Amino acid sequence: MPKSEDALSCFLSIARAIAGPTDLELVLENFADGLRTLIPHDHLDIVLLHPSGTQICYEARMHTTWSHSHNPRKPTETSPIRAVLRGELPFILTEDAWKDERLNFKGADSKPLFDADLHSRIIVPLRVQGEIIGSLAISSHKVNYYETDLVVIAQGAADLVAAYLFALERGKEARDAAVAESEARGRENALRLGALRLTEGMERERQRLGMDLHDQTLADLARIIRRMSRARDGGGLNVDELGTIESDLEFCLNDLRGIVEDMKPAVLQMFGFAEAVEAHMQRCITHYRRDISFEVNDKTRGLVDLLPDTIRTAVYRIVQEAVNNALNHGDATKILVEVSGDGSGLTVQVDDNGSGIDEGAAQSTSGISNIRTRAELISAKVELARLGSEGGTRVVFFLPL
């Protein structure tokens, strides 16, 4: 066992090394460097407990999946050192962690012990005001490397650093909470602004529908009435005139059907997403009176139709908006709608061969703004890209499931 004056000198050195830095991982590295003169080690980690029954691990010297993983916060129930964290054991001193049943119980997250080749271990609790707030673990690649006397040194080091680490962790949590609150407030404001823009867009759309009815459909019907009045005054209609009137009436009827379908997509409700998109494309071909080719490729075999009605309608409206933008602003003659996905999410991609979209238009165009707002309202992500030098636009949005 090291002499008491050596331990005191080491602890003073550690105290100076950790005083000042506010980055928890840097503090841990300084702590590990100082402690190594008293307890040589190949790996050192601290675990800090959280009230939710989880813990987070910070490591020095080596890093394992205990701290370096997609979600470093892990349940204490599966921790190989849970007996110390729960206060069931005052400490753990093991000659070989690979063979110690205390660390390798059923369901234990002990795989890093083998991956990092950790054998001899000392685990002691971290306490603040008598409460266990975590643990300190010191490990070596060697078997039967640590003596019982070193447990006292390890506990002294843990007592020295516990309060400081606890304060740093709580400060980090407070900063993270403040950032999360700020981001949530920003998202809320963005959604509120987006909803306002969407409402304004819907009002403009209603005005456009009114103008279409007034300027086109009503005008066509008025023209038909005048033609029939002239024919009545002139003594009747011939076959050619009847054919013209019939054609005009059919065109008006198709226009009205399109307007009604835009207001309430019945095809979506009755036949599903792919059929509704195809029906919208067919109406576009009739409306624009130019050659337009299209394809709808659903690789998911109807995954969109398994979504709640409000979400499915939002997905359809986004595709509808992307198609309308391609035809109205890009003069596209070819459109491909592709649906793909798996259990994690749904991806819908709309490609066109139009004139493309520049970065400024992507930020300012009302149609693009509507797409982004609709996507945000269903927690989807949208990306827009120009397809090569020859033009064309790709709209991709991803909906987590």
Side-chain angles (χ1 to χ4, degrees), residues 201-235:
M202 293 170 65
E203 182 59 33
R204 286 194 299 270
E205 184 64 14
R206 282 193 289 268
Q207 293 175 4
R208 183 190 68 79
L209 290 174
M211 292 175 62
D212 285 349
L213 285 171
H214 180 273
D215 297 342
Q216 183 170 331
T217 306
L218 293 180
D220 289 341
L221 289 172
R223 186 177 65 255
I224 293 170
I225 291 173
R226 287 195 299 271
R227 183 177 292 135
M228 294 180 68
S229 296
R230 287 195 301 270
R232 181 194 59 195
D233 295 340

CSV table of all heavy atoms in Angstrom, one decimal, residues 201-235:
chain,number,residue,atom,x,y,z
A,201,GLY,N,-51.8,30.5,-47.3
A,201,GLY,CA,-51.7,29.8,-48.6
A,201,GLY,C,-53.1,29.1,-48.9
A,201,GLY,O,-53.5,29.1,-50.1
A,202,MET,N,-53.7,28.6,-47.9
A,202,MET,CA,-55.1,28.0,-48.1
A,202,MET,C,-56.1,29.0,-48.6
A,202,MET,O,-56.9,28.8,-49.4
A,202,MET,CB,-55.5,27.2,-46.9
A,202,MET,CG,-54.7,26.0,-46.5
A,202,MET,SD,-55.1,25.3,-44.9
A,202,MET,CE,-56.7,24.8,-45.2
A,203,GLU,N,-56.0,30.2,-47.9
A,203,GLU,CA,-56.9,31.3,-48.3
A,203,GLU,C,-56.6,31.7,-49.8
A,203,GLU,O,-57.6,32.0,-50.5
A,203,GLU,CB,-56.7,32.5,-47.4
A,203,GLU,CG,-57.6,33.7,-47.6
A,203,GLU,CD,-59.1,33.3,-47.5
A,203,GLU,OE1,-59.4,32.4,-46.7
A,203,GLU,OE2,-59.9,33.9,-48.3
A,204,ARG,N,-55.3,31.8,-50.1
A,204,ARG,CA,-55.0,32.2,-51.5
A,204,ARG,C,-55.5,31.1,-52.5
A,204,ARG,O,-56.0,31.4,-53.6
A,204,ARG,CB,-53.5,32.3,-51.7
A,204,ARG,CG,-52.9,33.6,-51.1
A,204,ARG,CD,-51.5,33.8,-51.6
A,204,ARG,NE,-50.6,32.8,-51.2
A,204,ARG,CZ,-49.9,32.8,-50.1
A,204,ARG,NH1,-50.0,33.8,-49.2
A,204,ARG,NH2,-49.1,31.8,-49.8
A,205,GLU,N,-55.5,29.8,-52.0
A,205,GLU,CA,-56.0,28.7,-52.8
A,205,GLU,C,-57.5,28.8,-53.0
A,205,GLU,O,-58.0,28.6,-54.1
A,205,GLU,CB,-55.6,27.4,-52.2
A,205,GLU,CG,-55.9,26.2,-53.0
A,205,GLU,CD,-55.2,26.1,-54.4
A,205,GLU,OE1,-54.2,26.8,-54.5
A,205,GLU,OE2,-55.6,25.3,-55.2
A,206,ARG,N,-58.2,29.2,-52.0
A,206,ARG,CA,-59.6,29.4,-52.1
A,206,ARG,C,-59.9,30.5,-53.1
A,206,ARG,O,-60.9,30.4,-53.9
A,206,ARG,CB,-60.2,29.7,-50.7
A,206,ARG,CG,-60.4,28.4,-49.9
A,206,ARG,CD,-61.3,28.7,-48.7
A,206,ARG,NE,-60.6,29.5,-47.7
A,206,ARG,CZ,-59.9,29.1,-46.7
A,206,ARG,NH1,-59.8,27.8,-46.5
A,206,ARG,NH2,-59.3,29.9,-45.8
A,207,GLN,N,-59.2,31.6,-53.0
A,207,GLN,CA,-59.4,32.7,-53.9
A,207,GLN,C,-59.1,32.3,-55.3
A,207,GLN,O,-59.8,32.7,-56.3
A,207,GLN,CB,-58.5,33.9,-53.5
A,207,GLN,CG,-58.8,34.5,-52.2
A,207,GLN,CD,-57.9,35.6,-51.8
A,207,GLN,OE1,-56.9,35.9,-52.5
A,207,GLN,NE2,-58.1,36.2,-50.6
A,208,ARG,N,-58.0,31.4,-55.5
A,208,ARG,CA,-57.7,30.9,-56.8
A,208,ARG,C,-58.8,30.1,-57.4
A,208,ARG,O,-59.2,30.2,-58.6
A,208,ARG,CB,-56.4,30.1,-56.8
A,208,ARG,CG,-56.0,29.7,-58.2
A,208,ARG,CD,-54.8,28.7,-58.1
A,208,ARG,NE,-55.3,27.4,-57.5
A,208,ARG,CZ,-55.9,26.5,-58.1
A,208,ARG,NH1,-56.3,26.6,-59.4
A,208,ARG,NH2,-56.3,25.3,-57.5
A,209,LEU,N,-59.4,29.2,-56.5
A,209,LEU,CA,-60.5,28.4,-56.9
A,209,LEU,C,-61.7,29.2,-57.3
A,209,LEU,O,-62.4,29.0,-58.3
A,209,LEU,CB,-60.9,27.4,-55.8
A,209,LEU,CG,-59.9,26.3,-55.5
A,209,LEU,CD1,-60.4,25.5,-54.3
A,209,LEU,CD2,-59.8,25.3,-56.7
A,210,GLY,N,-62.0,30.3,-56.6
A,210,GLY,CA,-63.1,31.2,-56.9
A,210,GLY,C,-62.8,31.9,-58.2
A,210,GLY,O,-63.7,32.0,-59.1
A,211,MET,N,-61.6,32.3,-58.5
A,211,MET,CA,-61.2,32.9,-59.8
A,211,MET,C,-61.4,32.0,-60.9
A,211,MET,O,-61.8,32.3,-62.0
A,211,MET,CB,-59.8,33.5,-59.7
A,211,MET,CG,-59.7,34.7,-58.7
A,211,MET,SD,-58.0,35.3,-58.6
A,211,MET,CE,-57.7,35.8,-60.3
A,212,ASP,N,-60.9,30.7,-60.7
A,212,ASP,CA,-61.0,29.7,-61.7
A,212,ASP,C,-62.5,29.4,-62.1
A,212,ASP,O,-62.8,29.3,-63.3
A,212,ASP,CB,-60.4,28.4,-61.3
A,212,ASP,CG,-58.8,28.5,-61.3
A,212,ASP,OD1,-58.3,29.4,-61.9
A,212,ASP,OD2,-58.2,27.5,-60.7
A,213,LEU,N,-63.3,29.4,-61.0
A,213,LEU,CA,-64.7,29.1,-61.3
A,213,LEU,C,-65.3,30.3,-62.0
A,213,LEU,O,-66.1,30.2,-63.0
A,213,LEU,CB,-65.5,28.9,-60.0
A,213,LEU,CG,-65.3,27.6,-59.3
A,213,LEU,CD1,-65.9,27.6,-57.9
A,213,LEU,CD2,-65.9,26.5,-60.1
A,214,HIS,N,-64.9,31.5,-61.6
A,214,HIS,CA,-65.5,32.7,-62.3
A,214,HIS,C,-64.9,33.0,-63.7
A,214,HIS,O,-65.7,33.2,-64.6
A,214,HIS,CB,-65.2,34.0,-61.4
A,214,HIS,CG,-65.7,35.3,-61.9
A,214,HIS,ND1,-65.0,36.0,-62.8
A,214,HIS,CD2,-66.9,35.9,-61.7
A,214,HIS,CE1,-65.7,37.1,-63.1
A,214,HIS,NE2,-66.9,37.0,-62.5
A,215,ASP,N,-63.6,32.8,-63.8
A,215,ASP,CA,-63.0,33.2,-65.1
A,215,ASP,C,-63.0,32.1,-66.1
A,215,ASP,O,-63.0,32.4,-67.3
A,215,ASP,CB,-61.5,33.6,-64.8
A,215,ASP,CG,-61.4,34.8,-63.9
A,215,ASP,OD1,-62.4,35.5,-63.8
A,215,ASP,OD2,-60.3,35.0,-63.4
A,216,GLN,N,-63.1,30.9,-65.7
A,216,GLN,CA,-63.1,29.8,-66.6
A,216,GLN,C,-64.4,29.0,-66.7
A,216,GLN,O,-65.1,29.1,-67.7
A,216,GLN,CB,-61.9,28.8,-66.3
A,216,GLN,CG,-61.7,27.7,-67.3
A,216,GLN,CD,-60.5,26.9,-67.1
A,216,GLN,OE1,-59.5,27.5,-66.5
A,216,GLN,NE2,-60.5,25.7,-67.4
A,217,THR,N,-64.7,28.3,-65.6
A,217,THR,CA,-65.9,27.5,-65.7
A,217,THR,C,-67.2,28.3,-65.9
A,217,THR,O,-68.0,27.9,-66.8
A,217,THR,CB,-66.0,26.7,-64.4
A,217,THR,OG1,-64.8,26.0,-64.1
A,217,THR,CG2,-67.2,25.6,-64.5
A,218,LEU,N,-67.4,29.3,-65.1
A,218,LEU,CA,-68.6,30.2,-65.3
A,218,LEU,C,-68.6,30.8,-66.7
A,218,LEU,O,-69.7,31.0,-67.3
A,218,LEU,CB,-68.7,31.2,-64.2
A,218,LEU,CG,-69.0,30.6,-62.8
A,218,LEU,CD1,-69.1,31.8,-61.8
A,218,LEU,CD2,-70.3,29.8,-62.8
A,219,ALA,N,-67.4,31.3,-67.1
A,219,ALA,CA,-67.3,31.9,-68.5
A,219,ALA,C,-67.7,30.9,-69.6
A,219,ALA,O,-68.4,31.2,-70.5
A,219,ALA,CB,-65.9,32.5,-68.7
A,220,ASP,N,-67.2,29.6,-69.4
A,220,ASP,CA,-67.5,28.6,-70.4
A,220,ASP,C,-69.0,28.3,-70.4
A,220,ASP,O,-69.6,28.1,-71.5
A,220,ASP,CB,-66.7,27.3,-70.1
A,220,ASP,CG,-65.2,27.5,-70.3
A,220,ASP,OD1,-64.9,28.4,-71.1
A,220,ASP,OD2,-64.4,26.7,-69.8
A,221,LEU,N,-69.6,28.2,-69.2
A,221,LEU,CA,-71.0,27.9,-69.2
A,221,LEU,C,-71.8,29.1,-69.8
A,221,LEU,O,-72.8,28.8,-70.5
A,221,LEU,CB,-71.4,27.7,-67.7
A,221,LEU,CG,-71.0,26.4,-67.1
A,221,LEU,CD1,-71.3,26.4,-65.6
A,221,LEU,CD2,-71.6,25.2,-67.7
A,222,ALA,N,-71.4,30.3,-69.5
A,222,ALA,CA,-72.1,31.5,-70.1
A,222,ALA,C,-72.0,31.4,-71.6
A,222,ALA,O,-72.9,31.8,-72.3
A,222,ALA,CB,-71.5,32.8,-69.5
A,223,ARG,N,-70.8,31.0,-72.1
A,223,ARG,CA,-70.6,31.0,-73.6
A,223,ARG,C,-71.5,29.9,-74.2
A,223,ARG,O,-72.1,30.1,-75.3
A,223,ARG,CB,-69.2,30.6,-73.9
A,223,ARG,CG,-68.8,30.7,-75.4
A,223,ARG,CD,-67.4,30.4,-75.7
A,223,ARG,NE,-66.9,29.1,-75.3
A,223,ARG,CZ,-66.2,28.8,-74.2
A,223,ARG,NH1,-65.8,29.8,-73.4
A,223,ARG,NH2,-65.9,27.6,-74.0
A,224,ILE,N,-71.7,28.8,-73.5
A,224,ILE,CA,-72.6,27.7,-74.0
A,224,ILE,C,-74.0,28.2,-74.0
A,224,ILE,O,-74.8,27.9,-75.0
A,224,ILE,CB,-72.4,26.5,-73.1
A,224,ILE,CG1,-71.0,25.8,-73.2
A,224,ILE,CG2,-73.5,25.4,-73.4
A,224,ILE,CD1,-70.7,24.8,-72.2
A,225,ILE,N,-74.4,28.9,-73.0
A,225,ILE,CA,-75.8,29.4,-72.9
A,225,ILE,C,-76.0,30.4,-74.1
A,225,ILE,O,-77.1,30.4,-74.7
A,225,ILE,CB,-76.1,30.1,-71.6
A,225,ILE,CG1,-76.1,29.1,-70.4
A,225,ILE,CG2,-77.4,30.9,-71.6
A,225,ILE,CD1,-76.2,29.7,-69.1
A,226,ARG,N,-75.1,31.3,-74.3
A,226,ARG,CA,-75.2,32.2,-75.4
A,226,ARG,C,-75.4,31.5,-76.8
A,226,ARG,O,-76.2,31.8,-77.6
A,226,ARG,CB,-74.1,33.2,-75.5
A,226,ARG,CG,-74.1,34.2,-74.4
A,226,ARG,CD,-73.1,35.4,-74.6
A,226,ARG,NE,-71.7,34.9,-74.8
A,226,ARG,CZ,-70.9,34.8,-73.7
A,226,ARG,NH1,-71.3,35.1,-72.5
A,226,ARG,NH2,-69.6,34.4,-73.9
A,227,ARG,N,-74.6,30.4,-77.0
A,227,ARG,CA,-74.6,29.7,-78.2
A,227,ARG,C,-76.0,29.0,-78.4
A,227,ARG,O,-76.6,29.0,-79.4
A,227,ARG,CB,-73.5,28.6,-78.2
A,227,ARG,CG,-73.4,27.8,-79.5
A,227,ARG,CD,-72.3,26.9,-79.5
A,227,ARG,NE,-71.0,27.6,-79.6
A,227,ARG,CZ,-70.0,27.3,-78.8
A,227,ARG,NH1,-70.0,26.3,-77.9
A,227,ARG,NH2,-68.9,28.0,-78.9
A,228,MET,N,-76.5,28.5,-77.2
A,228,MET,CA,-77.8,27.8,-77.3
A,228,MET,C,-78.9,28.8,-77.6
A,228,MET,O,-79.9,28.6,-78.3
A,228,MET,CB,-78.1,27.1,-76.0
A,228,MET,CG,-77.1,25.9,-75.8
A,228,MET,SD,-77.5,25.0,-74.2
A,228,MET,CE,-79.0,24.3,-74.6
A,229,SER,N,-78.8,30.0,-77.0
A,229,SER,CA,-79.8,31.1,-77.2
A,229,SER,C,-79.8,31.5,-78.7
A,229,SER,O,-80.8,31.7,-79.3
A,229,SER,CB,-79.5,32.3,-76.3
A,229,SER,OG,-79.6,32.0,-75.0
A,230,ARG,N,-78.6,31.7,-79.3
A,230,ARG,CA,-78.5,32.0,-80.7
A,230,ARG,C,-79.1,30.9,-81.5
A,230,ARG,O,-79.8,31.2,-82.5
A,230,ARG,CB,-77.1,32.3,-81.1
A,230,ARG,CG,-76.5,33.6,-80.6
A,230,ARG,CD,-75.2,34.0,-81.3
A,230,ARG,NE,-74.2,33.0,-81.2
A,230,ARG,CZ,-73.3,32.9,-80.2
A,230,ARG,NH1,-73.3,33.9,-79.2
A,230,ARG,NH2,-72.4,32.0,-80.1
A,231,ALA,N,-78.8,29.7,-81.2
A,231,ALA,CA,-79.4,28.6,-82.0
A,231,ALA,C,-80.9,28.5,-81.9
A,231,ALA,O,-81.6,28.3,-82.8
A,231,ALA,CB,-78.8,27.3,-81.5
A,232,ARG,N,-81.4,28.8,-80.6
A,232,ARG,CA,-82.9,28.9,-80.5
A,232,ARG,C,-83.5,29.9,-81.3
A,232,ARG,O,-84.5,29.7,-82.0
A,232,ARG,CB,-83.2,29.1,-79.0
A,232,ARG,CG,-84.7,29.1,-78.7
A,232,ARG,CD,-85.0,29.6,-77.3
A,232,ARG,NE,-84.4,31.0,-77.2
A,232,ARG,CZ,-84.2,31.7,-76.1
A,232,ARG,NH1,-84.5,31.0,-74.9
A,232,ARG,NH2,-83.7,32.9,-76.1
A,233,ASP,N,-82.9,31.1,-81.3
A,233,ASP,CA,-83.4,32.2,-82.1
A,233,ASP,C,-83.3,32.0,-83.6
A,233,ASP,O,-84.1,32.4,-84.4
A,233,ASP,CB,-82.7,33.5,-81.7
A,233,ASP,CG,-82.9,34.0,-80.3
A,233,ASP,OD1,-83.9,33.5,-79.7
A,233,ASP,OD2,-82.1,34.7,-79.7
A,234,GLY,N,-82.3,31.2,-83.9
A,234,GLY,CA,-82.1,30.9,-85.4
A,234,GLY,C,-82.8,29.7,-85.9
A,234,GLY,O,-82.7,29.4,-87.0
A,235,GLY,N,-83.5,29.0,-85.0
A,235,GLY,CA,-84.3,27.9,-85.5
A,235,GLY,C,-83.8,26.5,-85.1
A,235,GLY,O,-84.3,25.5,-85.6
